[in-house]
């Protein structure tokens, strides 16, 4: 890996890079993702599906 093929993974904490340094990783903040999903769900229920929320989280 990392020489003839690239592998990319999303993870909740830096784990893969410890054992497979050839894997390209980005860490996802699951607390932020969960909070947004909860807010989006409540918004969809209260707005009757008329409005859609979007969120773009950038890796640190």
């Amino acid at each position: 890996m990392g020489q003839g093929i690239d592998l990319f993974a999303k993870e909740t904490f830096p784990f893969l890079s410890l054992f497979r340094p050839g894997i390209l990783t980005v860490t996802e903040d699951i607390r932020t993702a969960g909070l947004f999903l909860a807010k989006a769900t409540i918004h969809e229920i209260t707005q009757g599906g008329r409005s859609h929320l979007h969120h773009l989280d950038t890796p640190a």
Side-chain angles (χ1 to χ4, degrees):
M1 275 185 271
Q3 294 179 6
I5 186 170
D6 287 329
L7 181 63
F8 181 81
K10 182 170 64 168
E11 56 188 355
T12 56
F13 59 92
F15 179 77
L16 290 173
S17 59
L18 296 175
F19 298 101
R20 299 283 187 182
I23 297 177
L24 305 169
T25 62
V26 64
T27 304
E28 178 185 24
D29 182 357
I30 59 172
R31 183 173 189 268
T32 300
L35 286 172
F36 172 74
L37 289 174
K39 288 178 185 177
T41 301
I42 292 169
H43 186 75
E44 287 297 313
I45 292 169
T46 60
Q47 297 299 315
R50 294 183 304 242
S51 176
H52 300 286
L53 296 177
H54 300 276
H55 177 75
L56 178 62
D57 193 20
T58 56

